[in-house]
Amino acid sequence: MKEEHVQELLIEYLDSTLTEAQRKMVTAHVKDCSRCSEELAQLQTMFKAFDKEVPAIPPSSIKTNFLKQLANEEHRVSKEASPIAMRSIPSTNWVPNSLKLAASVALLIGAFLTGKYQASQKSNVMVTTLKTEGNEIRETAMLALMENKSASRRIQGVNFVVQFENPDEEIVSALTDRMLHDENVNVRSAAVDALSRFLESEAVKTAFIRALGTEKDPSIQIAVLQNLVHIQEKKAVGPMKKLLEQEDTQPFVKKEINKILSGTL
């Protein structure tokens, strides 16, 4: 067992998600293996730092901008609803439909603003004790966290990319996988933000283009579009047009795409 090591089980060991047999095996192993014992100690230090993080409070401007955009949208809808059009719709249906539209707009704009805020947050995880350690331990911790069952742990793993000036292909691939396939929208949003640090990478450019064809969350779609505009990626034009043609693409996303296609790319 000393030869095999148990690094791949240490995250689950600390999270208490191993089976009883696995837990006993890891406990016995780290007692006799200095390498795994040292790595376990480093991960414990890192997790303590994670737990001490103070949740960021969204600035009041988020709510102010949301209410302003909602008011503008409601004003636009009321202007488009002409007296003739209103007379042609039974009064018993007009009010409920208006409320549904207002609620939809509120949810969409709220999702967009929340996503934008989350994408703008930088990881402030206190992991200074790992600065003197090699990239091997950091990479092991990051990749293990990104495969964790807990969405919050996966986000921590994604944000841990700040510890790498030049992440290798395995890290970029893991971040791409989170962005394209993670079931949690917050994890995908964090992955978009993490990958935006490495826009010069062809693999990252390709990943963002793929995301246009798979992502359904409007806030993440906007974030991906903004990154592609930033690098002036011509290959994104085709996927943008397809997204524009899809019926389930939200109006403000289509508006952003039209603006991009008419002047930026």
Side-chain angles (χ1 to χ4, degrees):
M1 180 57 66
K2 291 182 182 180
E3 296 284 326
E4 297 177 3
H5 301 295
V6 292
Q7 289 100 325
E8 71 279 2
L9 298 177
L10 294 180
I11 298 291
E12 286 77 10
Y13 179 75
L14 291 174
D15 274 344
S16 300
T17 58
L18 294 178
T19 64
E20 182 64 19
Q22 288 176 319
R23 187 188 65 78
K24 290 181 178 179
M25 181 269 291
V26 173
T27 300
H29 178 85
V30 296
K31 287 182 179 179
D32 298 325
C33 177
S34 58
R35 176 176 174 179
C36 289
S37 177
E38 181 180 356
E39 187 160 333
L40 178 62
Q42 295 291 348
L43 289 173
Q44 287 173 323
T45 300
M46 183 178 69
F47 276 23
K48 287 180 181 178
F50 284 148
D51 293 335
K52 290 179 181 178
E53 283 190 276
V54 179
I57 301 175
S60 58
S61 59
I62 291 279
K63 180 179 179 180
T64 301
N65 291 335
F66 164 72
L67 294 175
K68 181 179 179 181
Q69 292 192 44
L70 178 58
N72 290 339
E73 185 68 15
E74 290 176 333
H75 179 66
R76 181 187 65 78
V77 171
S78 64
K79 287 182 64 178
E80 291 179 353
S82 65
I84 295 178
M86 290 181 65
R87 284 197 297 270
S88 65
I89 301 175
S91 58
T92 55
N93 291 332
W94 173 247
V95 174
N97 287 338
S98 298
L99 292 175
K100 289 178 182 178
L101 179 58
S104 298
V105 171
L107 288 173
L108 289 174
I109 297 178
F112 169 66
L113 291 173
T114 301
K116 286 277 288 178
Y117 173 73
Q118 291 171 339
S120 69
Q121 297 305 301
K122 304 299 181 182
S123 173
N124 61 350
V125 179
M126 300 174 62
V127 288
T128 55
T129 56
L130 291 177
K131 286 185 177 180
T132 59
E133 300 297 329
N135 279 345
E136 182 178 352
I137 291 179
R138 298 177 187 175
E139 183 169 330
T140 298
M142 180 180 182
L143 295 176
L145 282 168
M146 281 196 282
E147 293 296 331
N148 196 271
K149 294 179 181 179
S150 166
S152 62
R153 290 297 191 195
R154 296 199 300 277
I155 291 175
Q156 289 172 345
V158 169
N159 289 337
F160 197 48
V161 74
V162 297
Q163 294 296 313
F164 299 86
E165 292 183 5
N166 298 299
D168 60 24
E169 291 182 4
E170 187 173 5
I171 291 178
V172 172
S173 177
L175 288 171
T176 297
D177 184 68
R178 290 302 98 200
M179 178 180 71
L180 295 175
H181 305 299
D182 201 283
E183 62 184 15
N184 186 282
V185 64
N186 293 323
V187 177
R188 299 200 304 275
S189 180
V192 171
D193 185 48
L195 287 169
S196 67
R197 302 169 183 269
F198 314 108
L199 293 176
E200 69 281 357
S201 166
E202 289 300 323
V204 172
K205 294 177 184 178
T206 300
F208 278 137
I209 293 174
R210 286 181 60 191
L212 287 181
T214 60
E215 183 57 57
K216 297 302 181 182
D217 182 82
S219 63
I220 298 180
Q221 289 174 335
I222 290 291
V224 170
L225 286 168
Q226 290 175 340
N227 279 298
L228 290 169
V229 169
H230 181 72
I231 59 177
Q232 295 288 293
E233 181 53 64
K234 303 294 184 182
K235 295 179 182 178
V237 172
M240 283 186 190
K241 290 181 177 179
K242 289 183 179 180
L243 189 59
L244 192 62
E245 296 170 356
Q246 293 176 8
E247 293 184 0
D248 59 349
T249 301
Q250 299 301 330
F252 69 87
V253 177
K254 290 185 176 182
K255 182 178 179 180
E256 183 71 14
I257 294 174
N258 281 321
K259 183 172 68 175
I260 293 170
L261 294 178
S262 64
T264 308
L265 290 180

